[in-house]
Amino acid sequence: KARREQVAGLVGIAAAPDFTDWGFNEEQKLRLLREGRLEEPSPYSDQPTVTTRAFWESGGANRVMTGPIAYDGPVRLLQGHRDEEVPWQRAPALAELFRSDAVQTWLVKDGDHRLSRDSDIALIVRAVEDVLTLCSSRS
């Protein structure tokens, strides 16, 4: 937001803006406030996922889904339909807020949060190339 003129294009992968509004239940929020950190088992590592109060407060202070997003460049939002971390409905809701008409939401029906299979990586690369092509054609 601070350097919008320097952003030529955006690619979001399981984008989770405003996660402080929807990503934590009341018990988790209270623990963060009371203890200053939240440790939970990670489905991706043997180490816990750690969320600190400072990280959570920073997320809350940087909400973007409160109204229109004044951005006119190309945007590609990739989201796994089977994502257990970020509800897939977040991607089209976010897409709707961008002022730009060059916004596309790519939903991978059998994709999870990581979108890390070879076919997912190929789709991510395609999204980046697509945005780069659009950026170069606008210059």
Side-chain angles (χ1 to χ4, degrees), residues 44-115:
Y44 312 110
S45 168
D46 57 352
Q47 299 296 310
T49 298
V50 176
T51 304
T52 64
R53 181 184 317 166
F55 178 71
W56 191 79
E57 289 174 348
S58 174
N62 288 291
R63 290 185 182 103
V64 295
M65 296 185 72
T66 57
I69 298 172
Y71 180 73
D72 296 309
V75 178
R76 299 296 177 265
L77 300 172
L78 287 73
Q79 180 69 47
H81 191 261
R82 295 182 183 157
D83 187 336
E84 294 184 14
E85 308 292 324
V86 180
W88 67 266
Q89 296 91 341
R90 303 294 304 168
L94 177 60
E96 190 68 30
L97 294 175
F98 282 101
R99 182 172 63 196
S100 175
D101 286 332
V103 178
Q104 294 180 1
T105 303
W106 297 2
L107 182 63
V108 182
K109 188 164 184 180
D110 65 343
D112 64 8
H113 181 64
R114 298 179 92 183
L115 292 177

Side-chain angles (χ1 to χ4, degrees), residues 24-43:
F24 297 85
N25 63 36
E26 291 305 313
E27 178 186 331
Q28 292 168 316
K29 290 176 184 179
L30 287 172
R31 245 191 317 162
L32 269 169
L33 289 172
R34 195 172 47 245
E35 300 171 19
R37 66 187 284 126
L38 182 64
E39 289 189 25
E40 298 185 301
S42 170

Side-chain angles (χ1 to χ4, degrees), residues 4-11 69-77 94-95 97-104 127 130-139:
R4 192 172 282 125
E5 71 284 352
Q6 294 179 359
V7 179
L10 296 169
V11 175
I69 298 172
Y71 180 73
D72 296 309
V75 178
R76 299 296 177 265
L77 300 172
L94 177 60
L97 294 175
F98 282 101
R99 182 172 63 196
S100 175
D101 286 332
V103 178
Q104 294 180 1
D130 194 38
V131 166
L132 289 172
T133 298
L134 288 169
C135 290
S136 66
S137 68
R138 291 177 182 216
S139 342

